[in-house]
Amino acid sequence: MHAAAETGGSISSELVCKATMDACNQLKQRIDTSTESLPETATWMDRVKYCAANGIDLSQRGWYKAVHTNNNPFAYNCYGVMCTEVELDVLTGETNVARLDVLYDCGRSVNPEIDVGQIEGAVVMGLGYWLTEEMLYDTTTGANLTHNTWEYKPPMCLDIPQDMRVSLLKDSPNPLFVLKSKAVGEPPQVMACSALFAAKHCIDAALQEYGVTRSHFNLSGPGTPDVLQPLCQPPVQKMTI
């Protein structure tokens, strides 16, 4: 496998697949040549056994070199859309992802169950990135203050969307890759930013209900409770017991 400039965007996975295909083609050619004397009715197992019994090497090294066009390392693009419904407690800043819908273009899926699982995992990983996983450091020593799960909050079982629906785009074969598929792994994670935008819409709705006029405010991830709650500005006079 020819080394890529980077490993992001599932590049390594695709290069490994191409290199594996190269190895398979070479190995098949060797087996076909070595078993020409066998009858046409010989099965694949018969041919493999023949090669093993006659000292034919059944291992092969594959090689693939990525070709960049116009200095672009990516041969194709992945597309997708995500719609996220988030509930925000304006008193605590806590969020709840009530529903999340994903439509993802993975070309012609080789294994839909695996691809859907990859998408679900990427989405939950993205929710952690945008809503809970905050890195804090001591401003004097630089020491990591979020070095364990008591302070650092990766998404847990209750952080998974209550209703998550994943669909694969139909009739979208990719002619540039293995079996007309597309990479499924990191790309769906990017769309999880919709959860942060949904939380921002929650804040907008709360401010509008309070009668607070605010034209714009910055909201950068992760949208942890201590970040979201101060932006809500719930008026004390509206708090009743």
Side-chain angles (χ1 to χ4, degrees):
M1 180 189 75
H2 185 270
E6 61 182 37
T7 59
S10 302
I11 290 177
S12 293
S13 300
E14 303 210 340
L15 293 180
V16 167
C17 287
K18 288 287 190 179
T20 302
M21 291 174 65
D22 175 64
C24 290
N25 289 332
Q26 294 183 62
L27 190 57
K28 183 178 182 302
Q29 184 177 6
R30 182 184 308 146
I31 293 174
D32 290 343
T33 303
S34 302
T35 59
E36 289 179 345
S37 60
L38 295 181
E40 294 184 1
T41 56
T43 64
W44 171 255
M45 185 63 69
D46 294 333
R47 296 176 184 276
V48 172
K49 289 181 178 180
Y50 177 88
C51 290
N54 288 273
I56 306 300
D57 186 7
L58 292 176
S59 62
Q60 182 60 47
R61 179 178 181 270
W63 174 264
Y64 177 76
K65 181 181 185 301
V67 179
H68 295 174
T69 304
N70 298 325
N71 296 320
N72 182 8
F74 303 103
Y76 63 86
N77 296 314
C78 295
Y79 301 93
V81 61
M82 180 181 296
C83 183
T84 308
E85 179 183 343
V86 171
E87 299 171 339
L88 172 64
D89 188 325
V90 298
L91 297 181
T92 66
E94 294 178 295
T95 55
N96 172 55
V97 182
R99 177 170 171 176
L100 189 149
D101 292 75
V102 186
L103 175 63
Y104 184 71
D105 169 25
C106 65
R108 180 178 295 168
S109 176
V110 177
N111 188 320
E113 291 186 352
I114 291 179
D115 287 339
V116 169
Q118 285 284 90
I119 294 170
E120 291 174 338
V123 167
V124 174
M125 183 177 178
L127 292 178
Y129 181 86
W130 289 109
L131 294 179
T132 65
E133 299 183 53
E134 183 178 22
M135 295 291 294
L136 298 175
Y137 300 92
D138 189 294
T139 56
T140 302
T141 65
N144 183 4
L145 301 178
T146 50
H147 61 280
N148 54 43
T149 53
W150 186 255
E151 301 295 342
Y152 185 77
K153 306 297 181 181
M156 305 297 284
C157 59
L158 294 181
D159 297 308
I160 297 173
Q162 294 180 357
D163 185 355
M164 179 159 55
R165 309 183 189 192
V166 177
S167 300
L168 304 179
L169 185 64
K170 297 180 180 180
D171 302 323
S172 60
N174 175 24
L176 300 175
F177 188 51
V178 180
L179 301 178
K180 299 184 178 181
S181 65
K182 283 188 176 182
V184 184
E186 295 175 73
Q189 179 192 5
V190 179
M191 296 187 290
C193 63
S194 62
L196 186 67
F197 291 128
K200 189 171 184 178
H201 284 307
C202 289
I203 298 173
D204 283 329
L207 294 176
Q208 185 176 6
E209 182 178 338
Y210 304 150
V212 176
T213 302
R214 175 184 281 179
S215 59
H216 173 75
F217 62 93
N218 291 324
L219 178 57
S220 301
T224 55
D226 58 319
V227 171
L228 298 178
Q229 196 282 327
L231 295 172
C232 296
Q233 302 179 359
V236 176
Q237 56 270 28
K238 288 186 175 292
M239 297 183 185
T240 58
I241 299 178

